[in-house]
């Protein structure tokens, strides 16, 4: 049986951190459209127009993202399922995913909403750092990186862009919640607390 899970939550809600738990627990790959776009940016293959959109905190056009996902889902490692992190982000993307899964004869198991109040999100992102080599996510205060780590502060984690991304989430991505609720797939998980506590809540929500 394949396991197909979507993680939805505002920027800074901990999707990337918790994705690690789900991928280990179910042995499925994490598919993060944000990570895929950043990998393309690093290798210099990202369309400069798309790069500018990302760095400003806006959403990349649906067609470009759907194309990216469609190509990713033909890879062999997705056979036993996958975890989607950062996709879908708009209702048209969710509809495209439904069509894609139907074509493959697959079905979604659950959509997890990581719920974190807006006041907490900004502080998390402004202090977020990523290890350039391992991709591991740190928080300068709550989960400090080891000395000597080669760290990156994301271009879109600056205070003004963070605000913009929160607005985009509320205006476009939050519409996914009623969409999946109507399909009885939505499970809400409180995303406030220590990462380990949230992992336990996720485990309960997925069992
Ligand atoms: P976050 O940490 O805000 O959840 P991600 O790392 O998932 O962000 O994505 C970073 C940026 O990449 C987004 O602000 C957006 O510009 C672009 N992006 C990623 N996924 C999508 C998507 N599904 N649709 C449109 N744009 C996307």
């Amino acid at each position: 049986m394949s396991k197909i899970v979507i993680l939805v939550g505002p920027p800074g809600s901990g999707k990337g951190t918790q994705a690690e738990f789900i991928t280990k627990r179910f042995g499925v790959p994490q598919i993060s459209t944000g990570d895929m776009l950043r990998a393309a940016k690093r290798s210099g293959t990202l369309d400069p127009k798309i790069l500018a959109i990302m760095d400003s905190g806006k959403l990349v056009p649906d067609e470009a993202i759907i194309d990216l996902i469609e190509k990713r889902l033909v890879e062999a490692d997705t056979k036993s399922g996958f975890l989607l992190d950062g996709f879908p982000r708009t209702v048209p993307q969710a509809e495209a995913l439904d069509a894609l899964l139907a074509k493959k004869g697959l079905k979604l198991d659950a959509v997890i909403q990581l719920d974190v109040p807006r006041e907490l999100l900004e502080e998390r992102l402004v202090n977020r750092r990523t290890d350039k080599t391992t991709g591991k996510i740190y928080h300068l205060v709550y989960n400090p990186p080891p000395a000597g780590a080669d760290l990156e502060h994301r271009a879109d984690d600056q205070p003004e862009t963070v605000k913009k991304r929160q607005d985009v989430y509320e205006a476009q991505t939050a519409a996914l919640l009623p969409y999946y609720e109507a399909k009885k797939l939505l499970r809400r998980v409180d995303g406030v607390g220590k990462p380990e506590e949230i992992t336990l809540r996720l485990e309960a929500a997925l069992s």
Side-chain angles (χ1 to χ4, degrees):
M1 254 302 266
S2 69
K3 191 84 182 168
I4 303 177
V5 176
I6 297 178
L7 266 182
V8 187
S13 56
K15 298 187 297 290
T17 302
Q18 297 301 329
E20 210 179 311
F21 151 74
I22 299 180
T23 58
K24 281 198 189 119
R25 167 79 172 68
F26 297 106
V28 296
Q30 171 194 7
I31 300 182
S32 158
T33 41
D35 285 351
M36 290 164 82
L37 292 169
R38 280 185 292 278
K41 172 180 171 177
R42 275 196 299 277
S43 65
T45 56
L46 190 65
D47 177 340
K49 278 195 232 109
I50 293 197
L51 176 59
I53 295 173
M54 262 184 95
D55 285 351
S56 74
K58 292 193 209 131
L59 293 186
V60 169
D62 287 336
E63 312 78 72
I65 292 288
I66 292 162
D67 189 52
L68 205 64
I69 285 287
E70 216 168 330
K71 292 195 174 116
R72 180 66 183 85
L73 293 186
V74 299
E75 288 181 32
D77 66 339
T78 61
K79 282 277 178 293
S80 56
F82 43 87
L83 168 70
L84 294 169
D85 155 12
F87 176 90
R89 242 178 169 92
T90 62
V91 171
Q93 289 181 18
E95 289 167 348
L97 176 65
D98 282 345
L100 201 61
L101 293 179
K103 206 166 77 184
K104 291 173 177 286
L106 298 172
K107 72 168 200 34
L108 260 175
D109 289 285
V111 178
I112 302 279
Q113 174 199 0
L114 268 180
D115 197 18
V116 179
R118 184 159 172 162
E119 314 81 82
L120 290 182
L121 296 170
E122 199 177 319
E123 193 268 349
R124 284 191 184 179
L125 291 178
V126 172
N127 286 297
R128 171 162 75 178
R129 296 293 183 277
T130 314
D131 187 306
K132 276 191 203 166
T133 324
T134 63
K136 235 177 135 34
I137 303 164
Y138 296 99
H139 184 287
L140 291 180
V141 183
Y142 305 126
N143 179 21
D150 188 12
L151 299 174
E152 182 170 51
H153 190 198
R154 270 170 51 174
D156 58 354
D157 275 351
Q158 313 300 328
E160 271 318 300
T161 319
V162 161
K163 283 205 189 75
K164 171 81 196 156
R165 283 158 61 209
Q166 313 290 9
D167 290 342
V168 166
Y169 177 83
E170 282 167 22
Q172 302 188 56
T173 308
L176 291 177
L177 305 174
Y179 179 88
Y180 286 121
E181 194 158 42
K183 294 178 184 288
K184 307 242 177 301
L185 289 168
L186 191 70
R187 302 186 198 164
R188 190 191 151 278
V189 169
D190 179 3
V192 180
K194 292 206 183 81
E196 312 82 74
E197 290 164 0
I198 298 159
T199 298
L200 290 176
R201 292 177 204 147
L202 264 175
E203 199 162 12
L206 284 171
S207 64

